[in-house]
Amino acid sequence: MARVYNFSAGPAVLPLEVLEEAQRELTDFGGSGMSIMEASHRGKEYSAVHEEAVAGTRELLGLSDDYAVLFLQGGASTQFAMVPMNLLGDGQTADYANSGAWASKAIKEAKLIGRVNVAADCGKEIPTRVPRPDELRLTPGAAYVHITSNETISGAQWKRFPECEAPLVADMSSDILSRPFDASRFGLIYAGAQKNLGPAGMTLVVIRKDLAGRASERLPTMLRYKTHVEENSLYNTPPCFAIYIYMLVGRWIRKMGLDALYRRNVDKAAKLYAAIDAGKFYRGTAVRECRSDMNVTWRLPSEELEERFVKEASKQGLKGLKGHRSVGGLRASLYNAFPPEGVDALVAFMQDFERRNG
Amino acid sequence: MARVYNFSAGPAVLPLEVLEEAQRELTDFGGSGMSIMEASHRGKEYSAVHEEAVAGTRELLGLSDDYAVLFLQGGASTQFAMVPMNLLGDGQTADYANSGAWASKAIKEAKLIGRVNVAADCGKEIPTRVPRPDELRLTPGAAYVHITSNETISGAQWKRFPECEAPLVADMSSDILSRPFDASRFGLIYAGAQKNLGPAGMTLVVIRKDLAGRASERLPTMLRYKTHVEENSLYNTPPCFAIYIYMLVGRWIRKMGLDALYRRNVDKAAKLYAAIDAGKFYRGTAVRECRSDMNVTWRLPSEELEERFVKEASKQGLKGLKGHRSVGGLRASLYNAFPPEGVDALVAFMQDFERRNG
């Protein structure tokens, strides 16, 4: 088997050793005589997986006992609604920073639930960027302040998080566990798993426990954070297999070291941005100081060349480089598990492509 | 590797050939150079899986174009809320048949959303049973009528579905695709995957498309059936790997034949019930005409004996026989993928256990 270089934005590349371990034990988990997919979510095999997944998250994010780690379903898109349903009371206002497509979706859903103040809006600017912390016009007494730590589509990333009195809430779907940060500054963090954490079908939520108590008892049981905090994400059957893969990915991150992975991520992205900036043929999409280490976005002189680039790259085993259908261009997603050699291969291809088409 | 006999109520046993196929291609799906877990949900590899999963469901349930097949997340527990959120308008009433623990949960959630009429209630009767169709006191002009086709905990199953004018809605989590039935009599069917369909983390929803239009535009996007009907369950990233396994399980069901599987299921259950009825040592929990073919529940003369039974059975590779923690007793779940030889092994163990303890 020849592994390709998979630049997909998510679902995305996973560590090969994680896949190989899952493969080895797929029909017989730890000598239990059954697959982890077949194991009861209340039995001892799965319980050990679940507990390690929780503990590994706590360790990697340095969480105090004030926080709960939840494994939910429905992706960040469901969190766009659950956050205001749980945290935005009648008569309150939530502040949202609009940094692009994903922040806009979060804002749209929050507006269905309650009062929203768009505290800064650069969602449609080109080159793309996220707001500067000093741009935010925050509401005194806001229920919370919501940011999107990394915009997967535009390739813009918050490098420094805003200071605010209200609980800070972040959609970290595309950069969670790609860099160290101070989790104690956040009230709630959520992330779809399918970029840095594991397969699609699990949503990581880290919540300060006091915030979970805010929700009305009229809210459906499954949509209340409180339910899942109290039941350790076992109120109903969780997405066990996705959590199992996430547990293995967490082991891999701890083995690699979060700091070392972060340096590796910065290096990978820097190498690709340097190739983009090397001449006038390629043009980065994001404002320089907001350039994402996870999703590198750029354009070529024409859409025709962009299409040719994607096709030829694909033939050379460089897959998933097409930009999001809503914006076009090129995008290389360089999540934790993406190997540095893949960036070298892409850079070499870019140089060759420019020579032939520049 | 020695496979055990896994009687778990869910997550539950899967066909070994499905697990083996998933294992073979876990690091390289169809020569793509990546795992299906790593493949974009909009790429050609996953798209083919998704389409086969939809088409296979249509074929097995004999669905007309009036119905949509959806792959959602959050389990039946989330459907308990989504059904009334989408289908129960202001001033309307929904009829619910209370057949036990799962129906009760559906009723509790619906009451948070709108007006509920419990059309029949045998939820706490022992021996356990489901209502007879002629017991239902239905509301004229009801928004819908809700039943739980099989109560996983009590081991009681609807053998004949009620006739009603309002759309019939069923939680079929624990017996979907275990028997042929006329799907055109239903307005909406939902089922957590982790019993007859695949791993936990995917919820199958079959909905008559006209019903999906009922929901208010104020409902969060992810909680509207309409969103998922219009986007073919690809509004956001679906639980791709769970859907992939479900697709493989669907292939296996089509190969086995639904009628043949149904006969096999009836035979497996009948053999076990015969062993229970053979003397006075074992006592079936459910009323005879409601006995489930999926979850066989029974008691022993004392809780101490029940505990010993579970322990000794487990040592002999008969796993997961403990009844649900809320009711005690014994339970053997005999879903589609549970092999007939496992029932023979259990029956032999039961006879031996009675000889030693009766």
Side-chain angles (χ1 to χ4, degrees):
Chain A
M1 180 209 48
R3 292 273 291 176
V4 296
Y5 290 120
N6 178 4
F7 292 92
S8 287
V13 59
L14 291 166
L16 181 58
E17 64 189 75
V18 164
L19 292 172
E20 285 171 343
E21 175 154 2
Q23 183 174 43
R24 269 194 304 277
E25 61 194 18
L26 201 74
T27 60
D28 183 17
F29 177 75
S32 66
M34 62 177 83
S35 173
I36 190 68
M37 278 188 262
E38 303 174 297
S40 168
H41 58 300
R42 307 204 187 271
K44 70 177 194 299
E45 288 83 10
Y46 177 72
S47 294
V49 166
H50 196 89
E51 290 316 317
E52 183 176 342
V54 172
T57 309
R58 292 196 163 283
E59 184 184 327
L60 283 167
L61 291 175
L63 299 176
S64 76
D65 287 345
D66 294 340
Y67 289 84
V69 172
L70 309 180
F71 306 128
L72 305 185
Q73 296 183 61
S77 296
T78 298
Q79 293 307 304
F80 295 161
M82 267 182 79
V83 167
M85 281 173 135
N86 280 266
L87 303 188
L88 182 51
D90 285 342
Q92 291 187 305
T93 298
D95 288 330
Y96 277 73
N98 190 359
S99 47
W102 290 106
S104 296
K105 286 200 174 205
I107 290 166
K108 187 174 156 232
E109 294 303 310
K111 283 182 173 170
L112 292 173
I113 315 294
R115 199 188 302 155
V116 168
N117 168 49
V118 178
D121 193 346
C122 54
K124 297 197 163 167
E125 290 181 22
I126 305 240
T128 59
R129 68 180 186 96
V130 302
R132 296 183 311 276
D134 65 18
E135 273 178 285
L136 296 173
R137 297 174 308 278
L138 299 176
T139 307
Y144 59 87
V145 177
H146 183 282
I147 64 166
T148 308
S149 64
N150 183 71
E151 286 281 354
T152 324
I153 292 177
S154 73
Q157 186 177 32
W158 289 79
K159 299 297 177 180
R160 198 162 53 81
F161 297 122
E163 309 268 354
C164 50
E165 287 193 21
L168 188 56
V169 174
D171 174 1
M172 291 199 182
S173 293
S174 49
D175 67 357
I176 183 98
L177 291 182
S178 72
R179 54 177 169 175
F181 69 96
D182 181 2
S184 74
R185 287 180 53 199
F186 290 81
L188 193 156
I189 294 165
Y190 61 91
Q194 66 272 15
K195 294 153 196 299
N196 275 305
L197 305 181
M202 184 202 99
T203 317
L204 176 66
V205 171
V206 173
I207 185 169
R208 225 176 61 205
K209 288 177 194 162
D210 63 303
L211 295 177
R214 280 200 196 172
S216 155
E217 293 289 315
R218 300 286 308 164
L219 206 56
T221 307
M222 282 295 288
L223 297 175
R224 267 180 251 159
Y225 292 121
K226 191 163 180 272
T227 302
H228 305 293
V229 171
E230 287 172 356
E231 302 285 343
N232 187 26
S233 308
L234 290 160
Y235 170 74
N236 71 333
T237 316
C240 304
F241 187 77
I243 295 169
Y244 156 74
I245 298 288
Y246 168 63
M247 180 277 282
L248 293 178
V249 169
R251 260 186 210 171
W252 177 82
I253 296 176
R254 298 200 300 283
K255 193 185 75 178
M256 298 287 282
L258 188 53
D259 286 314
L261 263 181
Y262 172 54
R263 284 193 301 274
R264 192 173 95 147
N265 288 332
V266 170
D267 289 347
K268 286 185 301 188
K271 197 176 271 186
L272 184 48
Y273 285 119
I276 290 169
D277 294 338
K280 298 212 178 306
F281 188 71
Y282 300 111
R283 213 165 8 107
T285 312
V287 166
R288 205 168 279 255
E289 57 271 26
C290 295
R291 281 174 161 181
S292 169
D293 292 330
M294 295 287 102
N295 311 99
V296 176
T297 51
W298 74 102
R299 307 295 311 236
L300 266 66
S302 72
E303 290 186 16
E304 194 204 327
L305 278 169
E306 287 170 351
E307 206 178 308
R308 195 185 306 162
F309 184 100
V310 169
K311 267 194 194 153
E312 290 185 13
S314 176
K315 276 186 195 147
Q316 297 195 23
L318 306 167
K319 301 283 182 181
L321 284 164
K322 196 175 171 190
H324 190 268
R325 61 210 151 97
S326 64
V327 296
L330 281 298
R331 173 173 58 178
S333 297
L334 307 176
Y335 302 123
N336 278 344
F338 191 88
E341 307 76 48
V343 176
D344 296 336
L346 174 57
V347 167
F349 173 79
M350 286 168 74
Q351 290 164 347
D352 179 56
F353 188 85
E354 184 179 352
R355 257 192 305 278
R356 289 185 286 111
N357 298 278
Chain B
M1 179 209 50
R3 292 273 291 176
V4 296
Y5 289 120
N6 179 3
F7 293 92
S8 288
V13 61
L14 291 167
L16 182 58
E17 63 188 75
V18 164
L19 291 172
E20 287 172 342
E21 176 154 2
Q23 184 173 43
R24 269 193 304 276
E25 60 192 18
L26 201 74
T27 60
D28 184 16
F29 177 75
S32 66
M34 62 178 80
S35 172
I36 190 68
M37 278 188 261
E38 303 174 296
S40 168
H41 58 301
R42 306 201 189 274
K44 70 175 194 297
E45 288 83 11
Y46 177 72
S47 293
V49 166
H50 196 89
E51 291 314 318
E52 183 176 340
V54 172
T57 309
R58 290 197 164 282
E59 183 184 328
L60 283 167
L61 292 175
L63 299 176
S64 76
D65 287 346
D66 294 340
Y67 289 84
V69 171
L70 309 179
F71 305 129
L72 306 185
Q73 297 183 59
S77 295
T78 298
Q79 293 307 304
F80 295 162
M82 266 182 81
V83 166
M85 282 173 134
N86 281 266
L87 304 187
L88 183 51
D90 285 342
Q92 290 187 305
T93 298
D95 288 329
Y96 277 73
N98 190 357
S99 47
W102 290 106
S104 296
K105 287 201 173 203
I107 290 166
K108 187 174 155 233
E109 294 304 309
K111 282 182 173 169
L112 293 173
I113 314 294
R115 198 188 303 154
V116 168
N117 167 50
V118 178
D121 193 345
C122 54
K124 298 198 162 166
E125 291 183 20
I126 305 242
T128 58
R129 68 179 186 97
V130 301
R132 295 183 312 276
D134 65 17
E135 273 179 285
L136 297 172
R137 295 174 308 277
L138 300 177
T139 307
Y144 58 87
V145 177
H146 183 283
I147 65 166
T148 308
S149 63
N150 183 70
E151 285 282 353
T152 324
I153 293 178
S154 73
Q157 186 177 33
W158 289 79
K159 299 297 178 179
R160 197 162 55 81
F161 297 122
E163 308 268 353
C164 50
E165 285 191 24
L168 188 56
V169 173
D171 174 1
M172 290 198 182
S173 292
S174 49
D175 66 357
I176 183 98
L177 291 182
S178 73
R179 54 176 169 176
F181 69 96
D182 181 3
S184 73
R185 288 179 53 198
F186 290 81
L188 192 156
I189 294 165
Y190 61 91
Q194 67 271 16
K195 293 153 197 297
N196 275 305
L197 305 182
M202 184 203 99
T203 317
L204 176 66
V205 171
V206 173
I207 186 171
R208 224 177 59 206
K209 288 176 194 163
D210 63 302
L211 295 176
R214 280 200 197 172
S216 156
E217 293 289 313
R218 301 284 311 163
L219 207 55
T221 308
M222 282 294 288
L223 298 176
R224 267 179 252 158
Y225 291 121
K226 192 163 178 272
T227 303
H228 305 292
V229 171
E230 287 172 355
E231 302 285 345
N232 188 25
S233 307
L234 290 160
Y235 169 75
N236 71 334
T237 315
C240 303
F241 186 77
I243 295 169
Y244 156 73
I245 297 288
Y246 168 62
M247 180 276 284
L248 293 178
V249 170
R251 261 186 210 171
W252 177 81
I253 296 176
R254 298 199 301 282
K255 192 185 77 178
M256 299 287 282
L258 187 53
D259 286 313
L261 264 180
Y262 172 54
R263 284 192 303 273
R264 193 172 96 147
N265 288 332
V266 169
D267 288 348
K268 287 185 301 188
K271 198 176 269 186
L272 183 47
Y273 284 120
I276 290 168
D277 294 339
K280 297 211 178 309
F281 188 71
Y282 301 111
R283 212 163 11 104
T285 312
V287 166
R288 205 168 277 254
E289 58 271 27
C290 295
R291 280 173 162 182
S292 170
D293 291 330
M294 295 287 102
N295 311 99
V296 176
T297 53
W298 74 102
R299 308 293 313 234
L300 266 66
S302 72
E303 289 186 16
E304 195 205 327
L305 279 169
E306 286 170 350
E307 205 178 310
R308 194 185 306 163
F309 184 100
V310 170
K311 267 194 193 151
E312 291 185 13
S314 176
K315 277 187 194 144
Q316 298 195 22
L318 306 167
K319 301 281 181 181
L321 283 164
K322 197 174 171 190
H324 190 268
R325 61 211 152 99
S326 64
V327 296
L330 281 298
R331 173 174 57 178
S333 297
L334 308 176
Y335 301 123
N336 279 344
F338 191 87
E341 308 76 52
V343 176
D344 295 337
L346 174 58
V347 167
F349 173 79
M350 286 169 75
Q351 290 164 347
D352 178 58
F353 189 86
E354 183 179 352
R355 257 193 305 275
R356 289 184 286 110
N357 298 277

